[in-house]
Amino acid sequence: MWVPLIGLLAGVIAGLLLPVKIPVIYSKYMSVAVLAALDSVFGGLRASMEDNFDNAIFLTGFFSNTLLAAFLAYIGDQLGVELYLAAVLVFGVRLFQNLAIIRRHLLKR
């Protein structure tokens, strides 16, 4: 249960302490990649609370979701279509669904 939470905290702390400047041109890619990564983290927390967590599934889902979201944003830019909005919509909905399930699970305890 603690692996996704520790990873999230380590990422937030590293992001706050390391002065990484990302060019504005990559802001679409990074925003969708971060949203996909957060979706994976909350999905991992949910799976952990349901005693269904698998580290291999978490890691492969984390990287594949992040890369797919960034790739969709890139392809959309090449085609002149705001395709990253599809990733924002899907990962945003999943993020809120996972958060709602986690909240319900915590309130039942």
Side-chain angles (χ1 to χ4, degrees), residues 44-67:
L45 284 172
R46 172 186 172 188
S48 176
M49 289 181 167
E50 295 173 347
D51 294 327
N52 195 21
F53 182 78
D54 184 0
N55 199 29
I57 292 174
F58 171 73
L59 288 175
T60 56
F62 180 86
F63 289 111
S64 63
N65 284 349
T66 304
L67 291 173

Side-chain angles (χ1 to χ4, degrees), residues 2 6 37 40 62 64 74 89 92 103 105:
W2 292 102
I6 290 170
S40 294
F62 180 86
S64 63
Y74 174 75
L89 179 69
R103 179 182 46 85
H105 185 69

Side-chain angles (χ1 to χ4, degrees), residues 4 25 36 47 56 76 88 94-95 97 106:
I25 194 166
V88 168
R94 285 178 39 150
L95 184 70
Q97 284 176 344
L106 289 174

Side-chain angles (χ1 to χ4, degrees), residues 25-100:
I25 194 166
Y26 299 125
S27 63
K28 284 184 197 175
Y29 308 121
M30 285 305 296
S31 64
V32 215
V34 166
L35 190 60
L38 282 174
D39 171 57
S40 294
V41 168
F42 280 103
L45 284 172
R46 172 186 172 188
S48 176
M49 289 181 167
E50 295 173 347
D51 294 327
N52 195 21
F53 182 78
D54 184 0
N55 199 29
I57 292 174
F58 171 73
L59 288 175
T60 56
F62 180 86
F63 289 111
S64 63
N65 284 349
T66 304
L67 291 173
L68 178 64
F71 183 69
L72 278 175
Y74 174 75
I75 292 297
D77 275 350
Q78 298 302 312
L79 295 174
V81 178
E82 301 295 331
L83 200 53
Y84 76 97
L85 293 175
V88 168
L89 179 69
V90 169
F91 288 120
V93 167
R94 285 178 39 150
L95 184 70
F96 282 108
Q97 284 176 344
N98 284 333
L99 188 60

